[in-house]
Amino acid sequence: NCIFHIASTNQKGELSKMELPKSMLKEPIPMTEWEEKHPKWLLYVVGVIAQYIPDIKEDQSLELDLVICGNVPLGSGLSSSASLEVAVATFLEYVIGPEMSYSSSTKKDQESSIQRALRCQKAENVWCNSPCGIMDQFVSSAAHEGGLVLIDCRTAEYSLIKMKSPAEGETNPVLVVCNSNVKHDIGGGEYPVRVQQCKSATSIIQEAFPNENIKLLRDITLEQVEACKDKLDALFYARAKHVVTENARTLQAKDDLQSGNWAQVGQFMNESHASMRDDYEVSCSEIDALVEWAQQHKGVYGSRLTGGGFGGCTVSLVEASEAESLMEHLTKQYKEILGQDCDCFVTSPGAGARMAM
């Protein structure tokens, strides 16, 4: 059997106790049946544990006492679910041990990070009914201090992109994150709709270019999208245009991050937000206001929505010396003009999940 005692500071320390036979964790537990007995958020934990049940010998049991302390804002587009999943997975791998767990936290190679991310994605897709991609779990699993992660979602390969080190006496820009406090739910909103719209656009463009080996929107050029504009519904055209141009911006930003061309990185961020707002339509008025105010502020290179959209947070690339001023400006404007409170903080690229001994 698997016996769990789980408490979270985000849930006022309320303790949840459960004892489940290992056989029960081989298939997802129906949501209605689960919610009769346990809080919904625990599925993110139990779903991850289920991915590691095959690593445990048949005659062994698993008993865990977990206390979860988190400071990632919930439902804000900052990957709180992925951070929880990967933290649980990393801890589990340490408990189970490298001789039993394939993606062990004691291994630091790429394959281990990849497999951990894939397991956590499966937990969210299957157990939590959330059709998320792999990015959030990947970053939480593979990120290194001072760098960004460039992910190829087709091959599940990644590379670590180091931001250019500042010259002596200088500092790199920082990231200011601003939480609009407009909540979003990736599992129950428009996200699955966008996925289907992209698939529909891909099918139409595939028919127009049957010899191009097009499988996904990533295989399509902007010229091909434009060539199919008359064949595409206006909505499908906009969705395809966003994905194609966003992929191009991402690949181009890699070189600019490494060379320290912050102005160009900021421009890509601004273009990205405009595309998410107008073509992908996943922004909202509160987010648009925060982005606009940031873009107009001294020392800001660029600003955009981050996360799945429909609320959540903005992220702005700003000179370190102007970060405090920017946060004061955003909180003041948000309160005076929209009558609401937003929460801001400064951050920079850090490492992913790890054991602190």
Side-chain angles (χ1 to χ4, degrees), residues 317-336:
L317 185 68
V318 57
E319 292 286 357
S321 60
E322 295 294 334
E324 288 296 330
S325 173
L326 173 62
M327 292 190 292
E328 291 175 7
H329 177 65
L330 293 178
T331 53
K332 181 180 179 182
Q333 291 285 96
Y334 204 66
K335 186 67 173 180
E336 289 184 356

Side-chain angles (χ1 to χ4, degrees), residues 16-325:
S16 294
K17 302 178 182 180
M18 63 195 78
E19 181 173 352
L20 304 172
K22 285 195 287 186
S23 59
M24 191 174 179
L25 293 175
K26 292 181 179 179
E27 296 292 336
I29 300 170
M31 185 73 73
T32 52
E33 179 182 327
W34 178 267
E35 290 186 317
E36 288 177 0
K37 301 177 182 178
H38 308 291
K40 181 181 176 180
W41 72 270
L42 282 176
L43 277 175
Y44 291 93
V45 177
V46 177
V48 171
I49 294 172
Q51 308 311 308
Y52 288 86
I53 293 302
D55 296 331
I56 302 172
K57 295 177 182 178
E58 284 295 329
D59 61 346
Q60 290 184 320
S61 61
L62 177 66
E63 183 170 350
L64 295 172
D65 291 337
L66 301 177
V67 177
I68 299 167
C69 303
N71 59 2
V72 180
L74 304 181
S76 65
L78 294 181
S79 312
S80 58
S81 58
S83 68
L84 173 61
E85 292 155 5
V86 178
V88 170
T90 302
F91 176 71
L92 268 176
E93 290 167 8
Y94 185 83
V95 170
I96 294 172
E99 69 282 357
M100 293 174 62
S101 173
Y102 176 63
S103 59
S104 171
S105 64
T106 62
K107 301 174 184 176
K108 302 302 180 184
D109 58 290
Q110 271 209 357
E111 186 62 25
S112 299
S113 296
I114 293 169
Q115 291 303 319
R116 184 182 309 116
L118 290 171
R119 288 186 179 199
C120 291
Q121 181 197 24
K122 183 177 180 181
E124 187 157 344
N125 289 165
V126 176
W127 281 74
C128 304
N129 297 319
S130 175
C132 67
I134 190 64
M135 181 181 69
D136 295 351
Q137 290 82 0
F138 227 128
V139 174
S140 290
S141 180
H144 285 211
E145 189 79 25
L148 291 84
V149 183
L150 180 63
I151 307 166
D152 187 322
C153 296
R154 170 176 284 157
T155 63
E157 296 174 339
Y158 69 93
S159 54
L160 299 172
I161 310 302
K162 290 288 286 185
M163 296 175 71
K164 183 183 178 182
S165 299
E168 186 175 351
E170 298 181 354
T171 58
N172 272 355
V174 296
L175 298 171
V176 167
V177 176
C178 184
N179 185 0
S180 69
N181 288 314
V182 177
K183 301 295 182 183
H184 83 149
D185 179 0
I186 192 174
E190 287 283 325
Y191 183 90
V193 177
R194 294 300 182 279
V195 173
Q196 188 55 54
Q197 290 168 343
C198 288
K199 289 180 178 179
S200 298
T202 304
S203 296
I204 294 169
I205 299 173
Q206 282 173 328
E207 292 177 2
F209 296 94
N211 301 320
E212 294 293 330
N213 195 30
I214 294 171
K215 296 180 180 179
L216 299 167
L217 281 177
R218 62 174 285 169
D219 301 316
I220 296 169
T221 65
L222 184 58
E223 289 73 22
Q224 289 171 327
V225 174
E226 295 297 336
C228 294
K229 186 173 183 179
D230 292 339
K231 298 182 177 69
L232 291 165
D233 175 280
L235 204 59
F236 295 165
Y237 165 74
R239 305 302 189 246
K241 179 185 173 188
H242 166 72
V243 173
V244 171
T245 57
E246 188 77 340
N247 280 342
R249 282 186 288 269
T250 300
L251 293 173
Q252 292 167 22
K254 168 188 172 182
D255 295 332
D256 293 310
L257 285 163
Q258 292 174 317
S259 66
N261 188 352
W262 311 125
Q264 185 58 66
V265 173
Q267 181 62 33
F268 286 143
M269 293 174 69
N270 293 337
E271 292 174 2
S272 176
H273 182 75
S275 183
M276 287 189 288
R277 180 193 64 212
D278 302 332
D279 290 335
Y280 214 52
E281 295 182 284
V282 293
S283 189
C284 64
S285 59
E286 294 89 346
I287 290 291
D288 291 340
L290 288 169
V291 167
E292 182 178 351
W293 295 330
Q295 290 171 345
Q296 296 170 352
H297 194 273
K298 179 184 176 182
V300 173
Y301 293 103
S303 184
R304 51 159 284 176
L305 163 72
T306 188
F310 311 104
C313 294
T314 65
V315 59
S316 304
L317 185 68
V318 57
E319 292 286 357
S321 60
E322 295 294 334
E324 288 296 330
S325 173

